[in-house]
Amino acid sequence: MEKITGLIDAPYAPFKDNGEINLDIIGKYAEMLIKNGMKGVFVNGSTGEGCNLTDAERMQIAEEWVKVSPPDFKVIIHVGTCSLESACILAKHAQDIGAWGVGAMPSAFPNIASAKTLAKYCQKICQWCGDIPFYYYHMPVFSKTFVSMVDLLREMDKLDVKNFAGIKFTDEHLYEYNQCRLFANGKYDILHGQDETALCSLVQGGAAGCICGTTNYNGRVQNEILNAWKNGDLKKANEMQNYSQEVINIICKYRGNIVGGKRIMKLIGLDLGPNRLPFENLTDEEEIALKQDLQAIDFFNKCNIV
């Protein structure tokens, strides 16, 4: 199965001021991401407030991303939800509309406690999305599923699920990430999902593909990390990784990437609307302070071009 190379962006859910989804802006959104070097999108994930969308809204957003994306732009649809049955319906929908792939975070309640059960969970979704690639979305800080990913790969190997592609690995345990990458001689695609440690994954030798949240506005810098490493310029790669962390340090002051990062999109010229409750939107005063903090690190000369 094809392994992903380059940066896959995790886009925000676009809303109108009245709280309705804004499908009209997705075409412009896709053009911006492509212009700044993205190779695809991971739609309706944590950054995209998938948990705050109805199944019907998730389907509409997925359909629009597939509709506006060129053939070589990979559209992966996140289908994870508390209901496995809903996840399966969303997975089949993703295949039906021509998505490149599917991903799923497990249910946060009830928690999945064993690799064997988690493998069965993944197997069922895989059966519903036909032959398109499926990625398990490992983000234990959100899902509260603290299962060994190496054990999950072992269980999936036993089940021999043909369209199980690998893991979107969003966690700080780089040792486990690397063990997954090495499993069965690199059989599975282990996509790095933590922007602040992208260089570390490259140094370990296997992160050809990454799924990122900050690439919405800081994609040019994240690409510079990959390109500098590829060209053997470790000094440049280190400088860009440190700068990426400076940006992340700022968004952490403003309720993280889902809230603060989404407001940055407005500041660079692509207003994707507010967040839905229970996320708390930034006040106007906080937006001014956010802009000043970004200006202090010369962000607007390095950020994505709209």
Side-chain angles (χ1 to χ4, degrees), residues 63-127:
E63 289 168 9
E64 193 65 20
W65 274 105
V66 171
K67 175 184 173 182
V68 303
S69 298
D72 60 344
F73 193 67
K74 292 178 170 61
V75 179
I76 305 170
I77 308 299
H78 174 256
V79 301
T81 176
C82 283
S83 165
L84 177 55
E85 301 307 314
S86 289
C88 290
I89 291 169
L90 291 169
K92 184 178 186 304
H93 176 261
Q95 183 202 29
D96 289 345
I97 64 174
W100 184 86
V102 164
M105 189 185 290
S107 166
F109 180 83
N111 293 134
I112 296 176
S114 73
K116 184 171 290 187
T117 302
L118 185 55
K120 291 178 181 177
Y121 175 93
C122 293
Q123 180 187 37
K124 185 167 182 180
I125 299 176
C126 286
Q127 290 170 343

Side-chain angles (χ1 to χ4, degrees), residues 11-22 25 29 46-50 52-53 57 61 255 257-267 270-284 287:
Y12 296 101
F15 295 123
K16 300 175 183 177
D17 289 340
N18 64 3
E20 296 177 359
I21 57 173
N22 181 7
I25 201 170
Y29 199 171
S46 53
T47 299
E49 294 187 66
N52 282 342
L53 300 167
E57 288 174 327
I61 291 173
R255 295 192 276 287
N257 181 53
I258 298 175
V259 176
K262 192 173 189 182
R263 190 62 65 95
I264 292 176
M265 300 302 291
K266 175 186 174 185
L267 295 176
L270 191 70
D271 190 350
L272 299 172
N275 297 96
R276 283 184 174 173
L277 287 171
F279 293 111
E280 294 184 15
N281 287 284
L282 298 188
T283 64
D284 292 342
E287 180 182 315

